[in-house]
């Protein structure tokens, strides 16, 4: 697999995000549940393509990270989609365990109740 | 509805994206199909909360835009979720027509075939 050729062919638009050249990555499971969104550098995209497991870029730690490297909650890539303007990729993944470091299956576990200005958590807590 | 109080209570993390303070917004339909991702300024978030229709911020045109203002393909907000680190919101919307300006239901209509370094379009073209 010529990863550089693939990335070139993808015609991606890396944005300047907190001082880094990054893409937006969205991960869903096969049932289309949105698990998380995070950023990808070109290097993390290469690692993802090469290994078949999601690698992101942390703007706070300023480095590439393999999702689940410490927790074991890895994400195996099954399908990949690019959006029309090329600044975002959608990954359908096989999630081991749960996605959120707060112990929930999805990072989007805070539901807004606009009428009452309330936020409440939804979904089971695994950890 | 006190939109400023809601936004304050949400504890959001606006990132510096292409020189603007922005959030990541992901829109899905009720069947969890990811329609698009785009950015939101505080102003577009306010407009979205106040009107119940998705408003984004365009980094290229450097202004707020109501989704579907010209095409009629508006997105009515049904549910809202915040992610764990507060830099992204997930909106479940009722999509009128299609989401992508290229005429497809979803902006993520380019599927990657890594093995063959090919990209092909998926889904029906409506326009």
């Amino acid at each position: 697999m010529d990863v550089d050729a693939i990335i070139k062919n993808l015609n991606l638009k890396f944005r300047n995000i907190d001082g880094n050249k990054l893409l937006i990555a969205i991960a869903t499971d096969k049932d289309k549940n949105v698990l998380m969104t995070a950023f990808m550098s070109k290097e993390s995209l290469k690692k993802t393509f090469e290994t078949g497991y999601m690698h992101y870029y942390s703007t706070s730690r300023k480095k590439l990270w393999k999702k689940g490297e410490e927790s074991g909650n890895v994400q195996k890539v099954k399908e990949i989609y690019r959006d029309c303007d090329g600044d975002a990729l959608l990954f359908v993944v096989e999630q081991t365990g749960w996605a959120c470091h707060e112990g929930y299956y999805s990072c989007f576990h805070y539901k807004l109740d606009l009428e009452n200005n309330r936020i409440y958590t939804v979904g089971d807590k695994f950890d």
Side-chain angles (χ1 to χ4, degrees), chain A:
Chain A
M1 191 191 297
D2 184 343
V3 173
D4 286 313
I6 292 170
I7 290 176
K8 192 175 174 194
N9 191 32
L10 276 173
N11 202 14
L12 297 168
K13 182 177 173 181
F14 288 82
R15 290 186 180 273
N16 189 336
I17 298 176
D18 291 347
N20 313 279
K21 290 285 173 196
L22 301 173
L23 291 176
I24 296 156
I26 300 169
T28 77
D29 64 15
K30 68 174 171 45
D31 297 322
K32 303 184 183 180
N33 295 296
V34 178
L35 298 167
M36 60 183 285
T37 184
F39 302 109
M40 277 186 157
S41 60
K42 189 176 172 184
E43 191 191 356
S44 56
L45 188 59
K46 280 184 79 162
K47 277 278 188 193
T48 300
F49 285 173
E50 282 165 2
T51 65
Y53 284 88
M54 292 300 290
H55 288 69
Y56 299 101
Y57 181 86
S58 166
T59 54
S60 54
R61 288 177 287 155
K62 294 191 184 302
K63 64 172 191 173
L64 176 150
W65 55 291
K66 181 185 177 184
K67 173 71 184 167
E69 184 150 42
E70 288 178 24
S71 64
N73 292 339
V74 295
Q75 296 177 329
K76 187 174 183 179
V77 179
K78 307 302 279 184
E79 294 172 29
I80 311 172
Y81 298 85
R82 203 204 72 186
D83 77 346
C84 51
D85 65 354
D87 66 349
L89 293 173
L90 173 65
F91 294 84
V92 180
V93 304
E94 198 178 279
Q95 174 71 55
T96 297
W98 50 90
C100 185
H101 72 290
E102 293 180 355
Y104 291 82
Y105 184 62
S106 166
C107 291
F108 291 92
H109 59 274
Y110 293 104
K111 188 168 181 178
L112 276 59
D113 173 359
L114 284 187
E115 290 311 312
N116 300 299
N117 191 11
R118 260 190 75 222
I119 303 172
Y120 53 99
T121 54
V122 289
D124 294 328
K125 197 170 192 310
F126 292 97
D127 188 33

